[in-house]
């Protein structure tokens, strides 16, 4: 049994609400789906989300990487050589983490399907439900308060508030959301690199002094400023979560060495898939850092893989897996669904994906 073909699908799907952060505003999920097919006709799916402002990945670039390099690398190979194939994918090209993610996840999905087990079980887990937070897109204080009330009414009890667009007004935004939802809901902040170190300390200390009970603050300063991240972490009590500062193992080692953060957000599109993500989770845990698994704006394929990882490995804080919840209509059939604040994984082989909208299909093999 060998890998017969590798196919790619360019997908764009609308969101029901604009997604706004300190880095960007988007109204769609734009992603490249990769399908790895064996000679028995079984398929495994993965995806490479386009996020210019975070990873630099584009659909065209990821497709070129898959079609010209990663696809030919896989064609004719034994799909059951999962570890060897994923290792070779990681070593085959510099960067291109989104393309690597797509192929890595597709290989894992195919392996689980060939064994007839859910992906979470292949990774070592048994649960098929994973809690998630929900993001409140950046905006004005009154609008954020209204949105927070709606999300709590919909069943979410961990709210991730996007800040960093205006440091002077961020304290008022947090205050408005806390007043709207009361003390029983967890609030976490994501500045998406939007503050300077001094702004970060000023805003976070203001939150602490006001008793607003913020769970954590994610990536308060630019990703390259590890000294600034450590400076902030050393001067506030609220735990600091490193996100854009950590793509791979070397980044995490440096964060650990400098004691720059209290937690790390592991994302498949930053590190290149499930194979390296497990290394990051193990490394962080071994050094006493908290963990979260997050995502870019992705379809149910990427979220299903990330949720399967959490189902098997767990995280110290509720993970950030709401991206597919933002879709007005998914081009992916089958796979995960949302039940309030819970990602429900299908009790089906692999990711449980049954089909993908057939648009702009390219095949290798």
């Amino acid at each position: 049994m060998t890998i017969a073909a590798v196919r790619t699908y360019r997908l764009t799907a609308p969101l029901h609400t604009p997604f706004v952060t300190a880095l960007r505003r988007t109204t769609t999920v734009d992603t490249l789906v990769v399908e790895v097919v064996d000679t028995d006709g079984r398929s495994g799916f993965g995806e490479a989300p386009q996020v210019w402002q975070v990873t630099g990945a584009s659909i065209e670039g990821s497709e070129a990487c898959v079609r010209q390099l990663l696809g030919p690398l896989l064609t004719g190979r034994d799909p059951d050589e999962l570890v060897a194939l994923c290792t070779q994918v990681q070593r085959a090209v510099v960067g291109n983490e989104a393309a690597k993610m797509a192929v890595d996840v597709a290989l894992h999905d195919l392996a689980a399907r060939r064994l007839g087990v859910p992906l979470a079980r292949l990774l070592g887990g048994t649960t098929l439900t994973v809690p998630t937070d929900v993001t409140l897109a950046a905006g004005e204080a009154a609008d954020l308060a209204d949105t927070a009330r709606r999300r709590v009414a919909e069943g979410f009890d961990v709210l991730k508030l996007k800040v960093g667009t205006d440091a002077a007004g961020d304290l008022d935004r947090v205050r408005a959301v806390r007043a709207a939802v009361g003390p029983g809901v967890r609030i976490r902040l994501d500045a998406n690199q939007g503050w300077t170190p001094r702004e970060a300390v000023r805003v976070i200390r203001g939150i602490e002094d006001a008793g607003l009970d913020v769970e954590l603050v994610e990536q308060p300063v630019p990703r390259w400023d590890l000294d600034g991240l450590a400076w902030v972490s050393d001067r506030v009590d609220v735990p600091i979560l490193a996100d854009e500062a950590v793509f791979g193992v070397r980044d995490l080692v440096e964060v650990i060495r400098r004691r720059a953060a209290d937690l790390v957000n592991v994302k498949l599109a930053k590190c290149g898939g499930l194979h390296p993500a497990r290394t990051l989770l193990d490394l962080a845990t071994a050094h006493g850092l908290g963990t979260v698994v997050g995502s870019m704006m992705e379809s149910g394929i990427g979220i299903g893989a990330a949720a399967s990882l959490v189902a098997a490995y767990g995280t110290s804080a509720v993970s950030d897996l709401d991206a597919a919840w933002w879709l007005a209509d998914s081009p992916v059939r089958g796979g995960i669904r949302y039940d309030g604040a819970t990602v429900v994984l299908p009790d089906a082989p692999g990711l449980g994906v049954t089909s993908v909208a057939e648009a702009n299909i390219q095949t290798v093999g």
Side-chain angles (χ1 to χ4, degrees):
M1 198 67 58
T2 61
I3 294 172
V6 179
R7 299 175 184 144
T8 60
Y9 307 73
R10 297 185 183 189
L11 298 182
T12 294
L15 306 180
H16 57 67
T17 307
F19 187 81
V20 185
T21 76
L23 291 175
R24 65 175 184 142
R25 180 184 191 276
T26 186
T27 57
T28 58
V29 166
D30 304 290
T31 193
L32 181 79
V33 173
V34 171
E35 180 184 11
V36 177
V37 186
D38 69 13
T39 49
D40 254 0
R42 297 186 186 90
S43 293
F45 294 93
E47 72 172 298
Q50 175 173 280
V51 193
W52 293 102
Q53 297 87 350
V54 181
T55 64
S58 68
I59 290 177
E60 294 80 6
S62 294
E63 186 172 49
C65 183
V66 173
R67 285 182 50 75
Q68 296 176 29
L69 189 63
L70 301 183
L73 177 70
L74 299 180
T75 306
R77 300 291 298 277
D78 183 345
D80 291 334
E81 294 180 344
L82 181 59
V83 173
L85 289 176
C86 288
T87 300
Q88 289 174 33
V89 165
Q90 294 302 318
R91 294 174 177 172
V93 59
V94 174
N96 289 277
E97 287 86 4
K100 291 176 183 177
M101 167 195 173
V103 172
D104 172 286
V105 169
L107 288 169
H108 279 84
D109 184 26
L110 180 57
R113 287 172 189 259
R114 287 168 60 82
L115 292 172
V117 299
L119 178 56
R121 186 172 292 277
L122 178 76
L123 296 174
T126 57
T127 184
L128 295 176
T129 58
V130 176
T132 182
D133 65 9
V134 71
T135 299
L136 306 183
E140 296 306 315
D143 295 332
L144 287 167
D146 288 341
T147 302
R149 292 188 194 96
R150 290 198 300 273
R151 298 296 173 256
V152 171
E154 291 164 354
F156 292 98
D157 57 2
V158 183
L159 306 179
K160 177 175 174 178
L161 172 57
K162 291 290 189 179
V163 292
T165 57
D166 165 34
D170 280 336
L171 177 57
D172 288 338
R173 293 180 176 90
V174 179
R175 185 180 284 115
V177 170
R178 176 53 76 197
V181 301
V185 174
R186 274 178 283 176
I187 296 174
R188 51 178 60 167
L189 309 183
D190 186 359
N192 283 115
Q193 312 178 64
W195 294 327
T196 67
R198 289 186 182 278
E199 286 173 337
V201 170
R202 184 167 62 249
V203 173
I204 296 169
R205 283 182 175 172
I207 289 167
E208 292 171 346
D209 291 344
L212 297 178
D213 190 24
V214 165
E215 177 190 17
L216 58 85
V217 175
E218 185 171 358
Q219 200 61 46
V221 301
R223 58 169 294 192
W224 48 263
D225 189 6
L226 288 186
D227 288 337
L229 189 64
W231 191 85
V232 173
S233 295
D234 193 47
R235 286 163 176 77
V236 299
D237 293 326
V238 174
I240 301 298
L241 170 65
D243 179 9
E244 291 94 340
V246 176
F247 274 52
V249 169
R250 289 180 178 83
D251 298 328
L252 180 54
V253 167
E254 195 62 19
V255 166
I256 292 168
R257 188 183 71 80
R258 300 193 193 195
R259 300 176 185 247
D262 303 289
L263 308 93
V264 61
N265 190 342
V266 175
K267 296 181 179 177
L268 306 187
K270 291 189 302 175
C271 68
L274 292 164
H275 188 63
R278 285 179 283 178
T279 301
L280 290 171
L281 290 174
D282 285 341
L283 179 62
T285 301
H287 286 270
L289 265 68
T291 54
V292 168
V293 170
S295 75
M296 304 303 173
M297 292 306 290
E298 301 169 17
S299 77
I301 294 173
I303 297 301
S308 296
L309 178 65
V310 177
Y313 276 69
T315 52
S316 66
V318 170
S319 285
D320 180 28
L321 301 173
D322 66 324
W325 174 87
W326 289 75
L327 288 167
D329 183 36
S330 175
V332 176
R333 297 295 175 254
I336 66 155
R337 63 181 176 85
Y338 289 90
D339 181 9
T342 301
V343 180
V344 180
L345 293 160
D347 189 6
L351 291 169
V353 172
T354 56
S355 64
V356 177
E358 296 188 6
N360 301 307
I361 303 174
Q362 301 291 328
T363 302
V364 177

